Amino acid sequence: MDTPLPLDKLSFGNIDQDRPSDGVTKKLKYVVLVSTGSFNPPTFMHLRMFELAKDALSSEGYYVIGGYMSPATDAYKKKGLISAEHRIHMSELACKSSSFVMVDSWEAKQSSFPGIPSVLARIRNCLLESGLISRESLRVILVCGSDRLESFTIPGAWTPVQVRTICRDYGVVCIRREGNDDERIVFSDDILNENKDNIKIVDDLIPDQTSSTRVRECISRGLSVKYRTFDEVIDYMRKEHLYLNLSDK
């Protein structure tokens, strides 16, 4: 079954604001941000990463027209991964508070793990096929944390072709995890280094160490996770009795 890409939050801004005094409209650089992962469950930090990436790219003259969370398929087989159905719904609840981030459930509904390049290509192709934006104006960029960037350098985690495709054909905005030397990671890896101009490292002035793993652990211990994730997500987890068993960690 075909899974349509949601388009309702896309915003192209006011083109007139980019028209200089000579009346010649400069070519806009539109960006769509994509974050992949388990979202098991989604937290404030998952949405915060989009905001940080948007600010960083806007300062360089890009216009972020939208963003997508792409929950992983159940075939990801990560320890403690609950069903895609729950993770899609929680991600949709989390995105209600965002003016530009949506959920693309295509990856989550696949029977096998498609990989990040396939997710990025699917979103780009859907946007181009919509006729809302031209190929020349669009950039689709991966948003990730330091752990994902570092995983690109681990033998066997990704193929060289996958890493090169992500960095060369799309681009990466990496939100630094406090204490990480992401520049060293880039410079020490041949593929990342050759594509360093397409990799932007962004610092968070108010670091947040919240993670899905820690949220699950708190829930399994009967501890509060209020102000760690969205109230709607907390209500859903409580209603569905999610993450209560220690084996879910």
Side-chain angles (χ1 to χ4, degrees), residues 27-45:
K27 193 172 185 179
L28 294 176
K29 296 178 287 185
Y30 290 125
V31 168
V32 168
L33 302 171
V34 179
S35 180
T36 65
S38 301
F39 304 117
N40 186 39
T43 70
F44 285 142
M45 192 58 201

Side-chain angles (χ1 to χ4, degrees), residues 41-113:
T43 70
F44 285 142
M45 192 58 201
H46 287 128
L47 274 294
R48 182 67 187 149
M49 288 170 64
F50 282 95
E51 296 290 336
L52 291 166
K54 183 178 181 180
D55 282 347
L57 291 171
S58 296
S59 69
E60 295 185 355
Y62 291 95
Y63 190 92
V64 176
I65 64 173
Y68 292 97
M69 293 173 64
S70 178
T73 169
D74 289 342
Y76 189 34
K77 300 295 183 184
K78 187 176 182 180
K79 183 179 180 181
L81 189 69
I82 64 171
S83 73
E85 180 182 1
H86 286 311
R87 292 181 290 106
I88 291 170
H89 190 66
M90 287 190 291
S91 296
E92 289 173 341
L93 290 173
C95 284
K96 282 186 175 182
S97 66
S98 174
S99 63
F100 72 98
V101 182
M102 298 160 277
V103 176
D104 180 20
S105 61
W106 175 82
E107 179 187 2
K109 295 177 180 178
Q110 301 307 299
S111 59
S112 60
F113 185 56

Side-chain angles (χ1 to χ4, degrees), residues 127-138:
L127 290 169
L128 295 177
E129 290 170 5
S130 74
L132 295 172
I133 189 168
S134 68
R135 183 178 299 273
E136 297 75 20
S137 301
L138 176 64

Side-chain angles (χ1 to χ4, degrees), residues 16 41 48 56 77-78 89 134 145 153 187 220 230 235 243:
D16 287 335
R48 182 67 187 149
K77 300 295 183 184
K78 187 176 182 180
H89 190 66
S134 68
T153 70
F187 293 142
S220 71
F230 304 84
D235 291 342
Y243 309 118

Side-chain angles (χ1 to χ4, degrees), residues 92-185:
E92 289 173 341
L93 290 173
C95 284
K96 282 186 175 182
S97 66
S98 174
S99 63
F100 72 98
V101 182
M102 298 160 277
V103 176
D104 180 20
S105 61
W106 175 82
E107 179 187 2
K109 295 177 180 178
Q110 301 307 299
S111 59
S112 60
F113 185 56
I116 293 175
S118 296
V119 174
L120 298 175
R122 171 261 184 347
I123 290 175
R124 180 171 65 181
N125 291 337
C126 286
L127 290 169
L128 295 177
E129 290 170 5
S130 74
L132 295 172
I133 189 168
S134 68
R135 183 178 299 273
E136 297 75 20
S137 301
L138 176 64
R139 283 199 65 186
V140 175
I141 297 178
L142 177 71
V143 179
C144 69
S146 298
D147 53 343
R148 174 59 57 80
L149 183 69
E150 189 167 17
S151 78
F152 291 156
T153 70
I154 299 173
W158 306 91
T159 67
V161 171
Q162 287 177 315
V163 176
R164 185 170 282 108
T165 298
I166 294 167
C167 298
R168 179 192 62 199
D169 298 347
Y170 297 95
V172 176
V173 175
C174 174
I175 311 303
R176 190 197 309 274
R177 177 172 291 176
E178 193 172 21
N180 271 53
D181 188 353
D182 293 327
E183 288 82 4
R184 180 193 59 77
I185 293 172

